Amino acid sequence: MSPAELHADSIVIDGLIIAKWNRELFEDMRKGGLTAANCTVSVWEGFKATVDQIAASQKLIRENSDLVMPVRTTADIRRAKELGKTGILFGFQNAHAFEDQIGYVDVFKQLGVGIVQMCYNTQNLVGTGCYERDGGLSGFGREIVAEMNRVGIMCDLSHVGSKTSEEVILESKKPVCYSHCLPSGLKEHPRNKSDAELKFIADHGGFVGVTMFAPFLAKGIDSTIDDYAEAIEYTMNIVGEDAIGIGTDFTQGHGQDFFEYLTHDKGYARRLTNFGKIINPLGIRTVGEFPNLTQTLLGRGHSERVVRKIMGENWVNVLKDVWGE
């Protein structure tokens, strides 16, 4: 197959998108041949604000049903592929929306949430994020992990501290993930994961989605799609070809005010980090350029079989396990 044919034939999944929700984004998802994406509907929001965001997102999906459809199962992902639509999976980047109510985990599962990150950069009732002293997984956090396992929501550890991550990996009875991360072996950064951390999650049946967020790449805003491919290869050499996928962290359509919101604790308090200028790697600036990644991976010598795994098949397999299908 040509690269274009392989991309069109493959299941293509983005394990994390936090772009601006609108029809323009959905059109670009179709241009990029995206089969499904984990789309963030909660970061610092509590229960009610998150429900409101889900309601608004459901309405937008209905209004654009010619392009997108909701995803609750891996059968839905395959159905989206057959229909030529992009499946939208709701995900959280913070367990904050659970507040202190274990029962809310099941409520959000019923609303279509399939992946939840345990912490976003700082401390919450579950554990600690990657930008402060890590106290590990709390007792309440252990209950939350157990309930997420029970209802079928994947535990995400991308922005989570090292100790909390290790304890979630050991506590969970289902595979957990770094949905969007990069190796600190290529650039030292609080958000990047060490070789040992990457090996640990893979050794315990976990999964790694590799991001292309420029501040975490070695060359920053001067990065290209080949630099992103290099990070994928570096990670795959550690975790293996069955435990790796894509998690771009696309922020498409958002302005500087959005990044100010993300980089302050709780969205408004102390500054945690400063990303500076943000430009995605040359060759994959937008969701619509996703086919270039398939072409790049093939061009770097990877087989069609491995490229299919990286682009989406591995995500389907791990989600099927976590969701209890």
Short mmCIF file of all heavy atoms in Angstrom, two decimals, residues 23-79:
data_model
loop_
_atom_site.label_atom_id
_atom_site.label_comp_id
_atom_site.label_asym_id
_atom_site.label_seq_id
_atom_site.Cartn_x
_atom_site.Cartn_y
_atom_site.Cartn_z
N ARG A 23 -17.11 22.96 14.77
CA ARG A 23 -17.22 22.21 13.52
C ARG A 23 -15.91 22.25 12.74
O ARG A 23 -15.54 21.26 12.09
CB ARG A 23 -18.36 22.76 12.66
CG ARG A 23 -18.56 21.94 11.39
CD ARG A 23 -19.80 22.30 10.61
NE ARG A 23 -19.87 21.51 9.38
CZ ARG A 23 -20.39 20.30 9.29
NH1 ARG A 23 -20.89 19.70 10.37
NH2 ARG A 23 -20.40 19.65 8.14
N GLU A 24 -15.20 23.35 12.82
CA GLU A 24 -13.93 23.46 12.11
C GLU A 24 -12.96 22.37 12.55
O GLU A 24 -12.26 21.77 11.73
CB GLU A 24 -13.32 24.85 12.36
CG GLU A 24 -12.04 25.11 11.58
CD GLU A 24 -11.47 26.49 11.83
OE1 GLU A 24 -12.02 27.23 12.68
OE2 GLU A 24 -10.47 26.84 11.19
N LEU A 25 -12.92 22.09 13.87
CA LEU A 25 -12.06 21.02 14.37
C LEU A 25 -12.53 19.67 13.83
O LEU A 25 -11.72 18.85 13.37
CB LEU A 25 -12.07 20.99 15.90
CG LEU A 25 -11.33 19.81 16.53
CD1 LEU A 25 -9.82 19.92 16.28
CD2 LEU A 25 -11.62 19.71 18.02
N PHE A 26 -13.84 19.44 13.86
CA PHE A 26 -14.37 18.16 13.37
C PHE A 26 -14.05 17.96 11.89
O PHE A 26 -13.75 16.85 11.45
CB PHE A 26 -15.89 18.11 13.59
CG PHE A 26 -16.31 18.11 15.04
CD1 PHE A 26 -17.56 18.59 15.41
CD2 PHE A 26 -15.47 17.64 16.03
CE1 PHE A 26 -17.96 18.58 16.73
CE2 PHE A 26 -15.85 17.62 17.37
CZ PHE A 26 -17.11 18.11 17.72
N GLU A 27 -14.13 19.04 11.12
CA GLU A 27 -13.79 18.95 9.70
C GLU A 27 -12.31 18.60 9.52
O GLU A 27 -11.96 17.81 8.63
CB GLU A 27 -14.10 20.28 9.01
CG GLU A 27 -15.59 20.54 8.85
CD GLU A 27 -15.91 21.93 8.32
OE1 GLU A 27 -15.01 22.81 8.39
OE2 GLU A 27 -17.04 22.15 7.85
N ASP A 28 -11.46 19.15 10.37
CA ASP A 28 -10.03 18.85 10.28
C ASP A 28 -9.75 17.42 10.72
O ASP A 28 -8.85 16.76 10.18
CB ASP A 28 -9.23 19.85 11.12
CG ASP A 28 -7.88 20.18 10.48
OD1 ASP A 28 -7.79 20.19 9.24
OD2 ASP A 28 -6.92 20.43 11.24
N MET A 29 -10.50 16.92 11.70
CA MET A 29 -10.37 15.51 12.10
C MET A 29 -10.67 14.59 10.92
O MET A 29 -9.96 13.60 10.69
CB MET A 29 -11.33 15.20 13.25
CG MET A 29 -10.91 15.75 14.60
SD MET A 29 -12.18 15.38 15.86
CE MET A 29 -11.27 15.69 17.37
N ARG A 30 -11.71 14.92 10.16
CA ARG A 30 -12.03 14.10 8.99
C ARG A 30 -10.95 14.23 7.92
O ARG A 30 -10.57 13.25 7.29
CB ARG A 30 -13.39 14.50 8.40
CG ARG A 30 -14.59 14.23 9.29
CD ARG A 30 -14.60 12.83 9.90
NE ARG A 30 -14.30 11.79 8.92
CZ ARG A 30 -13.50 10.75 9.16
NH1 ARG A 30 -12.88 10.61 10.32
NH2 ARG A 30 -13.30 9.85 8.24
N LYS A 31 -10.43 15.43 7.72
CA LYS A 31 -9.35 15.63 6.76
C LYS A 31 -8.14 14.78 7.14
O LYS A 31 -7.46 14.22 6.27
CB LYS A 31 -8.96 17.10 6.72
CG LYS A 31 -7.81 17.42 5.76
CD LYS A 31 -7.42 18.89 5.83
CE LYS A 31 -6.23 19.19 4.94
NZ LYS A 31 -5.79 20.60 5.07
N GLY A 32 -7.88 14.66 8.44
CA GLY A 32 -6.74 13.89 8.92
C GLY A 32 -7.00 12.40 9.01
O GLY A 32 -6.10 11.63 9.38
N GLY A 33 -8.22 11.96 8.69
CA GLY A 33 -8.53 10.54 8.73
C GLY A 33 -8.58 9.97 10.14
O GLY A 33 -8.32 8.78 10.34
N LEU A 34 -8.95 10.79 11.11
CA LEU A 34 -8.97 10.36 12.50
C LEU A 34 -10.19 9.49 12.77
O LEU A 34 -11.33 9.93 12.57
CB LEU A 34 -8.97 11.60 13.41
CG LEU A 34 -8.37 11.47 14.80
CD1 LEU A 34 -6.92 11.00 14.71
CD2 LEU A 34 -8.44 12.80 15.53
N THR A 35 -9.96 8.27 13.24
CA THR A 35 -11.05 7.35 13.53
C THR A 35 -11.71 7.68 14.86
O THR A 35 -12.93 7.60 15.01
CB THR A 35 -10.55 5.90 13.55
OG1 THR A 35 -9.79 5.63 12.38
CG2 THR A 35 -11.72 4.92 13.66
N ALA A 36 -10.88 8.02 15.86
CA ALA A 36 -11.41 8.33 17.19
C ALA A 36 -10.39 9.15 17.96
O ALA A 36 -9.19 9.14 17.65
CB ALA A 36 -11.74 7.05 17.95
N ALA A 37 -10.89 9.85 18.97
CA ALA A 37 -10.00 10.67 19.81
C ALA A 37 -10.55 10.76 21.22
O ALA A 37 -11.77 10.83 21.43
CB ALA A 37 -9.86 12.07 19.22
N ASN A 38 -9.63 10.76 22.20
CA ASN A 38 -9.95 11.03 23.59
C ASN A 38 -9.96 12.55 23.75
O ASN A 38 -8.91 13.18 23.73
CB ASN A 38 -8.90 10.38 24.50
CG ASN A 38 -8.98 10.87 25.93
OD1 ASN A 38 -10.02 11.33 26.40
ND2 ASN A 38 -7.86 10.76 26.64
N CYS A 39 -11.15 13.13 23.88
CA CYS A 39 -11.31 14.58 23.91
C CYS A 39 -11.60 15.06 25.33
O CYS A 39 -12.57 14.60 25.97
CB CYS A 39 -12.42 15.00 22.97
SG CYS A 39 -12.07 14.60 21.24
N THR A 40 -10.79 15.97 25.81
CA THR A 40 -10.88 16.44 27.19
C THR A 40 -12.13 17.28 27.42
O THR A 40 -12.36 18.26 26.71
CB THR A 40 -9.63 17.27 27.55
OG1 THR A 40 -8.47 16.45 27.40
CG2 THR A 40 -9.71 17.80 28.97
N VAL A 41 -12.90 16.91 28.45
CA VAL A 41 -14.08 17.69 28.83
C VAL A 41 -13.99 18.21 30.27
O VAL A 41 -14.92 18.86 30.74
CB VAL A 41 -15.39 16.88 28.66
CG1 VAL A 41 -15.65 16.58 27.19
CG2 VAL A 41 -15.34 15.58 29.46
N SER A 42 -12.86 17.93 30.95
CA SER A 42 -12.71 18.42 32.32
C SER A 42 -11.23 18.51 32.68
O SER A 42 -10.48 17.57 32.44
CB SER A 42 -13.41 17.50 33.31
OG SER A 42 -13.37 18.01 34.63
N VAL A 43 -10.84 19.66 33.23
CA VAL A 43 -9.48 19.84 33.75
C VAL A 43 -9.56 20.29 35.21
O VAL A 43 -9.31 19.51 36.13
CB VAL A 43 -8.67 20.84 32.91
CG1 VAL A 43 -7.25 20.99 33.48
CG2 VAL A 43 -8.59 20.41 31.46
N TRP A 44 -9.93 21.54 35.42
CA TRP A 44 -10.07 22.07 36.79
C TRP A 44 -11.53 22.12 37.25
O TRP A 44 -11.80 22.50 38.39
CB TRP A 44 -9.46 23.47 36.87
CG TRP A 44 -8.00 23.55 36.58
CD1 TRP A 44 -7.40 24.21 35.55
CD2 TRP A 44 -6.93 22.96 37.32
NE1 TRP A 44 -6.04 24.08 35.60
CE2 TRP A 44 -5.71 23.31 36.69
CE3 TRP A 44 -6.87 22.16 38.48
CZ2 TRP A 44 -4.47 22.92 37.15
CZ3 TRP A 44 -5.63 21.75 38.94
CH2 TRP A 44 -4.45 22.13 38.29
N GLU A 45 -12.46 21.76 36.37
CA GLU A 45 -13.88 21.88 36.70
C GLU A 45 -14.32 20.86 37.75
O GLU A 45 -13.82 19.74 37.79
CB GLU A 45 -14.74 21.70 35.44
CG GLU A 45 -14.55 22.79 34.39
CD GLU A 45 -13.38 22.55 33.46
OE1 GLU A 45 -12.62 21.58 33.68
OE2 GLU A 45 -13.22 23.33 32.51
N GLY A 46 -15.29 21.24 38.57
CA GLY A 46 -15.90 20.32 39.51
C GLY A 46 -17.01 19.52 38.85
O GLY A 46 -17.15 19.53 37.61
N PHE A 47 -17.83 18.87 39.66
CA PHE A 47 -18.86 17.98 39.14
C PHE A 47 -19.84 18.68 38.21
O PHE A 47 -20.02 18.30 37.06
CB PHE A 47 -19.62 17.31 40.31
CG PHE A 47 -20.74 16.42 39.86
CD1 PHE A 47 -20.50 15.12 39.47
CD2 PHE A 47 -22.05 16.89 39.83
CE1 PHE A 47 -21.54 14.29 39.05
CE2 PHE A 47 -23.09 16.08 39.41
CZ PHE A 47 -22.84 14.78 39.03
N LYS A 48 -20.49 19.75 38.70
CA LYS A 48 -21.54 20.40 37.92
C LYS A 48 -21.00 21.01 36.63
O LYS A 48 -21.59 20.86 35.55
CB LYS A 48 -22.25 21.47 38.73
CG LYS A 48 -23.40 22.13 37.96
CD LYS A 48 -24.04 23.25 38.74
CE LYS A 48 -25.23 23.82 37.94
NZ LYS A 48 -24.82 24.31 36.60
N ALA A 49 -19.88 21.71 36.73
CA ALA A 49 -19.31 22.35 35.54
C ALA A 49 -18.90 21.32 34.50
O ALA A 49 -19.02 21.56 33.29
CB ALA A 49 -18.11 23.21 35.93
N THR A 50 -18.46 20.15 34.97
CA THR A 50 -18.09 19.08 34.03
C THR A 50 -19.32 18.49 33.36
O THR A 50 -19.32 18.23 32.15
CB THR A 50 -17.29 17.99 34.76
OG1 THR A 50 -16.09 18.56 35.30
CG2 THR A 50 -16.92 16.85 33.83
N VAL A 51 -20.39 18.29 34.13
CA VAL A 51 -21.64 17.81 33.53
C VAL A 51 -22.13 18.81 32.49
O VAL A 51 -22.58 18.43 31.40
CB VAL A 51 -22.71 17.58 34.62
CG1 VAL A 51 -24.07 17.27 33.97
CG2 VAL A 51 -22.31 16.43 35.53
N ASP A 52 -22.04 20.10 32.81
CA ASP A 52 -22.44 21.13 31.85
C ASP A 52 -21.61 21.05 30.56
O ASP A 52 -22.14 21.20 29.45
CB ASP A 52 -22.29 22.53 32.46
CG ASP A 52 -23.31 22.81 33.55
OD1 ASP A 52 -24.31 22.09 33.63
OD2 ASP A 52 -23.08 23.76 34.33
N GLN A 53 -20.31 20.81 30.73
CA GLN A 53 -19.42 20.70 29.56
C GLN A 53 -19.77 19.47 28.73
O GLN A 53 -19.78 19.53 27.49
CB GLN A 53 -17.96 20.61 30.03
CG GLN A 53 -16.94 20.42 28.92
CD GLN A 53 -16.86 21.59 27.95
OE1 GLN A 53 -17.14 22.73 28.31
NE2 GLN A 53 -16.52 21.30 26.70
N ILE A 54 -20.09 18.37 29.39
CA ILE A 54 -20.49 17.16 28.66
C ILE A 54 -21.79 17.40 27.91
O ILE A 54 -21.94 17.01 26.74
CB ILE A 54 -20.62 15.96 29.63
CG1 ILE A 54 -19.22 15.53 30.11
CG2 ILE A 54 -21.33 14.79 28.96
CD1 ILE A 54 -19.25 14.46 31.19
N ALA A 55 -22.75 18.07 28.55
CA ALA A 55 -24.02 18.36 27.89
C ALA A 55 -23.81 19.22 26.65
O ALA A 55 -24.39 18.96 25.58
CB ALA A 55 -24.96 19.07 28.87
N ALA A 56 -22.95 20.24 26.76
CA ALA A 56 -22.65 21.10 25.61
C ALA A 56 -21.95 20.31 24.51
O ALA A 56 -22.22 20.50 23.31
CB ALA A 56 -21.79 22.28 26.05
N SER A 57 -21.05 19.41 24.91
CA SER A 57 -20.32 18.60 23.94
C SER A 57 -21.25 17.62 23.23
O SER A 57 -21.13 17.41 22.01
CB SER A 57 -19.18 17.84 24.63
OG SER A 57 -18.27 18.73 25.25
N GLN A 58 -22.16 17.02 23.97
CA GLN A 58 -23.13 16.10 23.36
C GLN A 58 -23.98 16.83 22.32
O GLN A 58 -24.26 16.30 21.25
CB GLN A 58 -24.01 15.48 24.44
CG GLN A 58 -23.30 14.47 25.32
CD GLN A 58 -24.15 13.98 26.47
OE1 GLN A 58 -25.02 14.70 26.98
NE2 GLN A 58 -23.93 12.76 26.89
N LYS A 59 -24.38 18.06 22.65
CA LYS A 59 -25.18 18.86 21.72
C LYS A 59 -24.39 19.16 20.44
O LYS A 59 -24.91 19.03 19.33
CB LYS A 59 -25.61 20.15 22.40
CG LYS A 59 -26.48 21.08 21.53
CD LYS A 59 -26.98 22.26 22.36
CE LYS A 59 -27.91 23.16 21.55
NZ LYS A 59 -27.17 23.93 20.52
N LEU A 60 -23.12 19.52 20.62
CA LEU A 60 -22.28 19.83 19.46
C LEU A 60 -22.08 18.59 18.59
O LEU A 60 -22.10 18.69 17.35
CB LEU A 60 -20.93 20.37 19.94
CG LEU A 60 -20.00 20.94 18.87
CD1 LEU A 60 -20.62 22.16 18.20
CD2 LEU A 60 -18.65 21.32 19.48
N ILE A 61 -21.93 17.43 19.21
CA ILE A 61 -21.78 16.18 18.45
C ILE A 61 -23.06 15.89 17.66
O ILE A 61 -23.00 15.52 16.49
CB ILE A 61 -21.42 15.01 19.40
CG1 ILE A 61 -19.99 15.19 19.93
CG2 ILE A 61 -21.54 13.67 18.67
CD1 ILE A 61 -19.63 14.23 21.06
N ARG A 62 -24.21 16.08 18.29
CA ARG A 62 -25.48 15.87 17.59
C ARG A 62 -25.61 16.81 16.39
O ARG A 62 -26.05 16.40 15.31
CB ARG A 62 -26.66 16.09 18.53
CG ARG A 62 -26.88 15.01 19.56
CD ARG A 62 -28.26 15.12 20.19
NE ARG A 62 -28.51 16.41 20.80
CZ ARG A 62 -28.21 16.74 22.06
NH1 ARG A 62 -27.59 15.85 22.84
NH2 ARG A 62 -28.50 17.93 22.56
N GLU A 63 -25.21 18.06 16.58
CA GLU A 63 -25.34 19.05 15.52
C GLU A 63 -24.37 18.81 14.36
O GLU A 63 -24.55 19.37 13.28
CB GLU A 63 -25.11 20.46 16.10
CG GLU A 63 -26.21 20.91 17.05
CD GLU A 63 -25.87 22.20 17.77
OE1 GLU A 63 -24.69 22.62 17.74
OE2 GLU A 63 -26.78 22.78 18.40
N ASN A 64 -23.35 17.99 14.62
CA ASN A 64 -22.34 17.71 13.59
C ASN A 64 -22.22 16.20 13.34
O ASN A 64 -21.14 15.68 13.08
CB ASN A 64 -20.99 18.29 14.01
CG ASN A 64 -21.00 19.80 14.05
OD1 ASN A 64 -20.82 20.46 13.03
ND2 ASN A 64 -21.22 20.37 15.23
N SER A 65 -23.38 15.54 13.38
CA SER A 65 -23.39 14.07 13.29
C SER A 65 -22.98 13.55 11.92
O SER A 65 -22.78 12.35 11.74
CB SER A 65 -24.77 13.54 13.66
OG SER A 65 -25.76 14.06 12.78
N ASP A 66 -22.87 14.44 10.94
CA ASP A 66 -22.36 14.02 9.65
C ASP A 66 -20.85 13.79 9.69
O ASP A 66 -20.29 13.10 8.82
CB ASP A 66 -22.69 15.06 8.57
CG ASP A 66 -22.14 16.44 8.89
OD1 ASP A 66 -22.17 16.86 10.08
OD2 ASP A 66 -21.69 17.13 7.96
N LEU A 67 -20.19 14.34 10.71
CA LEU A 67 -18.74 14.25 10.83
C LEU A 67 -18.28 13.39 12.00
O LEU A 67 -17.23 12.73 11.93
CB LEU A 67 -18.13 15.65 10.99
CG LEU A 67 -18.34 16.64 9.85
CD1 LEU A 67 -17.84 18.02 10.26
CD2 LEU A 67 -17.63 16.18 8.59
N VAL A 68 -19.01 13.44 13.11
CA VAL A 68 -18.56 12.80 14.36
C VAL A 68 -19.69 11.98 14.99
O VAL A 68 -20.86 12.17 14.67
CB VAL A 68 -18.06 13.85 15.38
CG1 VAL A 68 -16.78 14.51 14.88
CG2 VAL A 68 -19.13 14.89 15.68
N MET A 69 -19.29 11.12 15.91
CA MET A 69 -20.26 10.30 16.65
C MET A 69 -19.68 9.97 18.02
O MET A 69 -18.45 9.94 18.19
CB MET A 69 -20.59 9.01 15.89
CG MET A 69 -19.39 8.11 15.62
SD MET A 69 -19.84 6.56 14.82
CE MET A 69 -20.37 5.57 16.25
N PRO A 70 -20.53 9.74 19.01
CA PRO A 70 -20.01 9.39 20.34
C PRO A 70 -19.44 7.98 20.37
O PRO A 70 -19.90 7.09 19.64
CB PRO A 70 -21.23 9.50 21.24
CG PRO A 70 -22.40 9.31 20.33
CD PRO A 70 -22.00 9.85 19.01
N VAL A 71 -18.42 7.78 21.20
CA VAL A 71 -17.78 6.47 21.36
C VAL A 71 -17.86 6.04 22.82
O VAL A 71 -17.44 6.77 23.72
CB VAL A 71 -16.31 6.52 20.92
CG1 VAL A 71 -15.52 5.36 21.50
CG2 VAL A 71 -16.20 6.51 19.40
N ARG A 72 -18.42 4.86 23.04
CA ARG A 72 -18.47 4.28 24.39
C ARG A 72 -17.81 2.90 24.44
O ARG A 72 -17.47 2.41 25.50
CB ARG A 72 -19.92 4.16 24.88
CG ARG A 72 -20.58 5.52 25.15
CD ARG A 72 -22.07 5.36 25.39
NE ARG A 72 -22.69 6.65 25.68
CZ ARG A 72 -23.06 7.06 26.88
NH1 ARG A 72 -22.83 6.27 27.94
NH2 ARG A 72 -23.63 8.23 27.06
N THR A 73 -17.67 2.27 23.27
CA THR A 73 -17.09 0.93 23.18
C THR A 73 -16.11 0.88 22.00
O THR A 73 -16.14 1.75 21.12
CB THR A 73 -18.18 -0.13 22.94
OG1 THR A 73 -18.77 0.10 21.65
CG2 THR A 73 -19.26 -0.07 24.00
N THR A 74 -15.29 -0.15 21.97
CA THR A 74 -14.39 -0.30 20.82
C THR A 74 -15.18 -0.69 19.57
O THR A 74 -14.74 -0.41 18.46
CB THR A 74 -13.29 -1.35 21.09
OG1 THR A 74 -13.88 -2.59 21.47
CG2 THR A 74 -12.37 -0.88 22.21
N ALA A 75 -16.35 -1.29 19.75
CA ALA A 75 -17.23 -1.54 18.59
C ALA A 75 -17.67 -0.21 17.98
O ALA A 75 -17.80 -0.11 16.74
CB ALA A 75 -18.44 -2.36 19.02
N ASP A 76 -17.88 0.80 18.82
CA ASP A 76 -18.22 2.13 18.31
C ASP A 76 -17.07 2.71 17.49
O ASP A 76 -17.28 3.40 16.49
CB ASP A 76 -18.54 3.09 19.47
CG ASP A 76 -19.85 2.78 20.16
OD1 ASP A 76 -20.72 2.12 19.55
OD2 ASP A 76 -20.02 3.20 21.33
N ILE A 77 -15.83 2.44 17.94
CA ILE A 77 -14.66 2.93 17.20
C ILE A 77 -14.63 2.31 15.81
O ILE A 77 -14.44 3.00 14.80
CB ILE A 77 -13.36 2.62 17.97
CG1 ILE A 77 -13.30 3.41 19.27
CG2 ILE A 77 -12.13 2.93 17.10
CD1 ILE A 77 -12.12 3.07 20.16
N ARG A 78 -14.86 1.01 15.74
CA ARG A 78 -14.86 0.33 14.44
C ARG A 78 -16.04 0.78 13.59
O ARG A 78 -15.93 0.90 12.36
CB ARG A 78 -14.89 -1.19 14.65
CG ARG A 78 -13.64 -1.71 15.37
CD ARG A 78 -13.55 -3.21 15.38
NE ARG A 78 -12.43 -3.68 16.18
CZ ARG A 78 -11.15 -3.69 15.79
NH1 ARG A 78 -10.85 -3.23 14.58
NH2 ARG A 78 -10.20 -4.12 16.57
N ARG A 79 -17.16 1.07 14.24
CA ARG A 79 -18.33 1.57 13.52
C ARG A 79 -18.03 2.95 12.93
O ARG A 79 -18.41 3.23 11.78
CB ARG A 79 -19.51 1.66 14.49
CG ARG A 79 -20.81 2.16 13.86
CD ARG A 79 -21.38 1.16 12.92
NE ARG A 79 -22.71 1.58 12.45
CZ ARG A 79 -23.23 1.22 11.29
NH1 ARG A 79 -22.56 0.42 10.47
NH2 ARG A 79 -24.43 1.62 10.93
#
